[in-house]
Amino acid sequence: MRYIYLAIPLAPLFGAIIAGLFGRQIGRKGAHTVTILGVGISFVLSLVVFNHTVIGGAEPFNEALYTWMVSDGMRFEIGFLVDRLTALMITVVSFVSLMVHIYTIGYMHDDPGYQRFFSYIALFTFSMLMLVMSNNFLQLFFGWEAVGLVSYLLIGFWYTRKSAIRANLKAFLVNRVGDFGFLLGIAAVAMYANSLDYAEVFSQTPTLATQSISIWAGSEWSVVTLICILLFIGAMGKSAQMPLHVWLPDSMEGPTPISALIHAATMVTAGIFMVARMSPLFELSETALSVVMVIGTLTAFLMGLVGVVQNDIKRVVAYSTLSQLGYMTAALGASAYAASIFHLMTHAFFKALLFLAAGSVIIAMHHEQDMRNMGGLRKYLPITFWTSLIGSLALIGFPGFSGFFSKDAIIEAVHASHLPAAGMSYWLLLISVFVTALYSFRMFFLVFFGKERMDEHTRHHLREPPWVVTFPLVMLAVPSVVAGLVVGPVLFGDYFGGAITVAGAHDVLAHLGENYHGIIGFILHGIMAPPFWLAMAGLITAWLFYLYRPEWAETVKRRMAIIHGILERKYGFDEFYALVFAGGGRAVGRLLWRIGDVKLIDGLMVNGSAKTVAWISSRMRHLQTGYLYHYAFAMIIGLLLLLSRFLFE
C-alpha cells in the first residue's frame, strides 16, 4: 500500500509538470488528457484506500518516507498518515477535482491559457492531497503554503484584468496574516514538544496541558490554549473566517472552475480539516473551543446576510460558502468534529455543483453574471436547472438531501454543547437557516424563473452547454442527494476511530446518538424541528419577494436603505482595511521616507557627509597659501612640538 499512498499525490503532480512545461508540445488535448488522467488515478487509488482502510478495517498507516534533516533531536520529515479521516478527505478532494477537470474542458475551451490552467488545477490538487495526507507539521505547512500559492496563481489567472490582480494580491496578503499565526503555532509546538510529528506531539498532551507561558509581564497563558488559538488564526485565513474572510468573495475573479475547486474541496476546507486533525490539542482548551465557536457562528450569520443583497451569481454562491464554513467552524467549537467533517463532505458536493451550474449559466449567457439580466432560463437549460435545484435543496437542508443531515447535526450539536457561547450560537445558526434558504432561492428564482431579462441576441443563442459541462453536474448531483445517508456511522458510530479525539465532557454527538433511530427517524424528527420550518419560510419568502411580488423587494430595499447599504458594503471591512492597514502602511512608509530617507540617509548621511567634507576642505584650503615663510613657520612649529615630546617624557 505504501506505493499506492505515494501515487495518490504524485499522479496529479506529474500531470501538472507535463502540462506546465510541455504544454506547447502536447497541445490542448494533451494537456487536459494528462492532468485528467493524473487526477483520475488519484481518485481510483483513493477508492482503493477507502476500501482498505474503512471497509476492510485496516490499521492506520503512519510512516516517514523521507528524512530531510535532524536538528537537536527534532526530525524534519516527509511522511503520510492514512487513517479514516484521511481516506474520506482524499476521496472527496480527488472526486471533486476530477469533475472540475472534466468541466474545465468546456468552460476554458477558447482560453489562450488552456494548458497553463490545467497545470495549475492539477498542482492545486497535489498540494491539497499532500496537506491532508501529512503526518507532521512540516509537511502540513508545505501543503498549507502550496495551496495558498496556487490559489494566488489561479485567482489572478486572467492577469490582464486589474480586478484579478487586485483579488489575488488581496488573497495573498490576507492569508499571510493567518499564516503568520499558523507558523507561530507550529513554532510553539516545536518549542514545547520538541517534535513536529503528530503522534509524538499528541502523546505529550498531558504534559502540555500543565504548562503555562507568560506572553507579557503579569499574564499566564496555558500553552495549549495559545497553540490552539495561533493554529486557528491560520485556519481563519485559509477557511475565510471573520475577520480574515475578505479575500474569498474577490476570488470570484478567477475562472469558475477554480472557484468551485477553492470553495468546495481545496484551500477553504484546509482549515476545517486542520482543526479536526488537531482535536487532541483543542480538546484541552475550552477557551480555544469557545473562540472557534463564536468566530464560526458570526461568520455563518453575518456572511449569509450579505449573500442576500448580492446580484453577481458567483458572489451569491461565494457568500454561501463563507456561511457554510461558519457552520463547520461552529461545529468544531462544539467538539462535534465528525459533524464538521461530514458537512465538509456534503458541502463539497453540492457547493461544487452550484458553482459549476453557475458557470454553465454564465457560458449560456455569454459570460453575463448579473442575475438581474437573467430569468426564465429553465426552459433553455434543463440539465442545469434540475441540477441547480438539487444543489439548492441540499444547501438549505431539505429533508432527505445530503445537507439536511449534516446541517441539522451541527445545529443540534451546538445546542447540546455546554460552552458559554453555545446558547447564542444556537439561535444565530437557526436564523442562518432562514437566511440560507432566502439567498439560495432568491438566486434560483431570479435565474431560472420569472421574466426573461436578457437582450435578444443572448436569448437567441441560449442553449445547454456541451456534455463536458453537464456531465460533472449530473455526477455531483448524485452525492448531493445520497451522501447524507451515511450519517449514522459517520456521526454516531465509530467511523473516525482514533483519528479524532473528543473529551467525554465534550462529546455532544454521543449525546445526540442516544436518540438516533435510523435515517427515517432522523428525517421525521427533522421535519418537526425548527430548522426545516425556517428553511421553508426562507424559500417562501424568496418566492413572494422575487416571483410573486417583485416590487416588494424594491419597497423593502427603500425602507431599509441603511441596513441594505451596510450589507452592500459588507459591513465596511474592505474600507476599514484599506483605510487602517493599507492607508496606515502607506502613511508609515511616507513618514519613514521623509524622516529616514530624506532627512537621515539623504540629508544627514549622504548629503550631510558631503557638506561636512566640503566645509572642512573649505577651511583647510586657507592653509595652502603658497608663501615660503608660511611653510617654514609651520615646519618650525612642528619641529618644536616633536622636540617637546621627547624632552618631557
Side-chain angles (χ1 to χ4, degrees), residues 72-92:
D72 292 332
M74 187 181 300
R75 304 178 67 86
F76 297 84
E77 300 172 326
I78 300 298
F80 291 152
L81 169 59
V82 182
D83 54 15
R84 293 186 168 207
L85 175 58
T86 308
L88 176 65
M89 289 297 298
I90 60 177
T91 304
V92 172

Side-chain angles (χ1 to χ4, degrees), residues 74-75 137 189-191 193-198 200-201 204:
M74 187 181 300
R75 304 178 67 86
F137 285 93
V189 169
M191 177 179 176
N194 196 39
S195 176
L196 294 176
D197 183 85
Y198 292 162
E200 292 182 15
V201 172
Q204 298 182 48

Side-chain angles (χ1 to χ4, degrees), residues 582-601:
R586 288 193 297 268
V588 170
R590 285 192 296 267
L591 181 65
L592 292 175
W593 170 70
R594 288 171 182 166
I595 297 176
D597 284 6
V598 175
K599 293 186 177 180
L600 292 179
I601 298 175

Side-chain angles (χ1 to χ4, degrees), residues 275-276 278-294 327-341 409-410 412-419 422 490-491 496 500-512:
V275 175
M278 298 299 125
S279 60
L281 295 175
F282 278 84
E283 283 302 288
L284 299 175
S285 174
E286 288 198 353
T287 301
L289 290 174
S290 297
V291 170
V292 173
M293 180 182 286
V294 170
Y327 272 95
M328 299 176 211
T329 304
L332 295 172
S335 296
Y337 304 100
S340 180
I341 295 297
I410 288 175
E412 291 301 322
V414 171
H415 193 204
S417 174
H418 298 294
L419 293 180
V490 173
L491 293 190
F496 289 106
I500 289 175
T501 299
V502 181
H506 298 162
D507 200 352
V508 292
L509 290 180
H511 172 70
L512 297 180

Side-chain angles (χ1 to χ4, degrees), residues 348-368:
F349 298 135
F350 63 71
K351 187 51 59 70
L353 172 59
L354 286 172
F355 263 114
L356 297 187
S360 178
V361 170
I362 292 168
I363 294 172
M365 291 290 297
H366 299 283
H367 294 276
E368 172 63 64

Side-chain angles (χ1 to χ4, degrees), residues 262-321:
I262 288 177
H263 288 242
T266 61
M267 184 107 173
V268 296
T269 60
I272 306 299
F273 165 80
M274 183 273 293
V275 175
R277 178 62 84 193
M278 298 299 125
S279 60
L281 295 175
F282 278 84
E283 283 302 288
L284 299 175
S285 174
E286 288 198 353
T287 301
L289 290 174
S290 297
V291 170
V292 173
M293 180 182 286
V294 170
I295 294 294
T297 301
L298 292 177
T299 303
F301 176 65
L302 296 176
M303 293 302 106
L305 289 176
V306 177
V308 175
V309 302
Q310 298 298 307
N311 294 311
D312 185 305
I313 185 172
K314 286 176 64 177
R315 286 184 176 268
V316 175
V317 187
Y319 278 101
S320 167
T321 299

